[in-house]
Amino acid sequence: MLAAITALVLFIIVMVAVSFYFYHVAIARADKEFLAENPDLAANADVENPFADSKDWWSAQSFENWSLIADDGLKLHAYYLPAKKATNQTVLLAHGYAGRSEQMSSFAQMYYEDLGFNVLLPDARGHGLSEGDYIGFGWPERKDVVKWIQRIVERTGEEAQIVLHGVSMGAATVMMTSGEELPSQVKAIVADCGYTSVADELTYQLKRMYKLPSFPILQSTSCLTKLRAGYSFQEASALKQVKKSKTPILFIHGGGDLFVPTEMVYRLYENGPAEKRLFVVPGAGHGLARQFDPEGYDREVTEFIGTYVREENKRAAMVR
């Protein structure tokens, strides 16, 4: 009996230690060194980048600095770039895990230069210039996006037309946002290489990176995350949210994605809203769909957006 109790106590101590370790690795705001050496992110990344000059473009822009207070009191930051010609069309660009808004520069350049949109680039909570000591994987961020949408409407008027476009964690964020009660001004969503749910992605990564089963590590770390960050892995589901979505969604993924496996996009598409489109780029690694097929990517995005803007603005949106 004593041996059994001792074993149980040791097991609990080990699981607590393991949970804190994985919380620090995956959830806490900290340098994510493991990403730099992840072979799944390096897969197919040697293809030439046709958007390398977007960093210079970014540096040349005069962004406005926006801020808002989230529902839980965090001060969040975003960059806003008004279009050269006044318009009611705005894109909100959501960056990926451990990233920051500047990493969306090539997408900002496309929407600004080619499509004539206003551009809003929030730093997700726990990233960039936004406050927060944890990463929400898109779940608490979905409510932040709703507040940014309200700010866009305040700025551009009730006739605003808004597109949400996210990559990786940003894609999960905009898909999770899609299941909320969104204002009519949100016309379309573009989700590039997002995961079905936090539980699914972390289960996959535990096996892929650590050769570990998800149980009981995922459950114990999820409990710790609920206590420290206010959400659990099980509730953070893009799949459940797109089932509720009434907003048209363009699902994009790389056919060679080993970090967020390509099979996830097919499940998301199958459960998506009535109005949807799927674009898979053969061979493209994680977040590299546009880099692999820039013409096809921009064409799909532009045509999809053009379907859901008002007729008087459609022609402008279709011009490249």
Side-chain angles (χ1 to χ4, degrees):
M1 185 68 170
L2 180 60
I5 294 174
T6 301
L8 178 60
V9 170
L10 286 174
F11 175 77
I12 293 172
I13 291 173
V14 169
M15 289 312 305
V16 169
V18 168
S19 299
F20 272 91
Y21 170 79
F22 281 111
Y23 181 90
H24 177 75
V25 168
I27 311 300
R29 183 174 192 160
D31 291 335
K32 306 300 180 185
E33 298 92 346
F34 67 92
L35 294 176
E37 300 178 358
N38 190 303
D40 291 347
L41 289 173
N44 303 317
D46 56 350
V47 67
E48 182 180 357
N49 182 5
F51 310 110
D53 64 346
S54 66
K55 294 181 180 179
D56 294 332
W57 174 86
W58 176 278
S59 299
Q61 305 311 309
S62 298
F63 291 99
E64 297 177 16
N65 286 289
W66 283 16
S67 64
L68 61 77
I69 304 301
D71 291 340
D72 58 358
L74 292 179
K75 185 177 181 180
L76 306 178
H77 172 269
Y79 294 102
Y80 179 75
L81 185 63
K84 297 176 184 178
K85 182 179 179 181
T87 179
N88 62 7
Q89 297 183 23
T90 304
V91 63
L92 183 153
L93 293 172
H95 65 75
Y97 178 81
R100 55 194 304 146
S101 52
E102 292 95 319
Q103 294 176 346
M104 299 294 287
S105 59
S106 66
F107 298 95
Q109 185 177 17
M110 176 190 74
Y111 277 98
Y112 182 77
E113 300 289 353
D114 298 341
L115 302 182
F117 273 52
N118 308 307
V119 182
L120 182 69
L121 301 112
D123 283 325
R125 55 176 54 215
H127 295 76
L129 298 178
S130 288
E131 294 180 348
D133 58 6
Y134 66 87
I135 296 172
F137 281 93
W139 190 244
E141 290 87 346
R142 80 194 192 283
K143 293 185 177 180
D144 302 335
V145 170
V146 171
K147 298 198 78 167
W148 285 122
I149 290 168
Q150 294 169 351
R151 286 291 305 276
I152 293 171
V153 174
E154 291 170 7
R155 174 63 177 263
T156 61
E158 291 297 321
E159 297 301 313
Q161 298 184 97
I162 301 169
V163 173
L164 310 180
H165 187 146
V167 177
S168 192
M169 188 187 82
T173 300
V174 298
M175 287 190 288
M176 291 174 182
T177 304
S178 77
E180 301 300 302
E181 288 293 329
L182 298 180
S184 61
Q185 289 88 352
V186 180
K187 303 301 182 183
I189 294 173
V190 180
D192 182 346
C193 65
Y195 37 82
T196 48
S197 70
V198 176
D200 287 347
E201 178 63 12
L202 295 184
T203 295
Y204 172 81
Q205 290 299 340
L206 277 170
K207 181 178 180 181
R208 185 84 179 174
M209 293 176 62
Y210 297 95
K211 313 301 181 188
L212 291 172
S214 62
F215 182 83
I217 298 171
L218 189 75
Q219 289 72 19
S220 61
T221 308
S222 179
C223 289
L224 179 61
T225 302
K226 184 69 172 181
L227 290 172
R228 303 193 71 175
Y231 73 97
S232 70
F233 300 156
Q234 287 72 25
E235 67 185 314
S237 173
L239 191 63
K240 291 179 181 178
Q241 290 292 91
V242 299
K243 287 181 179 180
K244 299 189 294 182
S245 176
K246 299 173 184 174
T247 307
I249 302 177
L250 169 60
F251 298 93
I252 299 175
H253 220 95
D257 195 335
L258 300 176
F259 194 76
V260 176
T262 308
E263 64 88 12
M264 287 189 179
V265 77
Y266 296 107
R267 292 166 58 197
L268 289 162
Y269 176 76
E270 290 169 2
N271 288 278
E275 297 179 88
K276 56 190 173 183
R277 187 182 297 184
L278 175 64
F279 180 57
V280 177
V281 179
H286 186 64
L288 298 175
R290 187 170 183 237
Q291 195 165 314
F292 260 65
D293 185 5
E295 291 184 5
Y297 190 105
D298 290 5
R299 180 184 63 250
E300 290 288 330
V301 170
T302 302
E303 290 180 354
F304 189 78
I305 291 170
T307 303
Y308 300 105
V309 297
R310 288 205 312 271
E311 187 65 33
E312 58 265 33
N313 289 317
K314 184 179 293 185
R315 187 177 294 106
M318 295 293 288
V319 172
R320 291 304 313 272

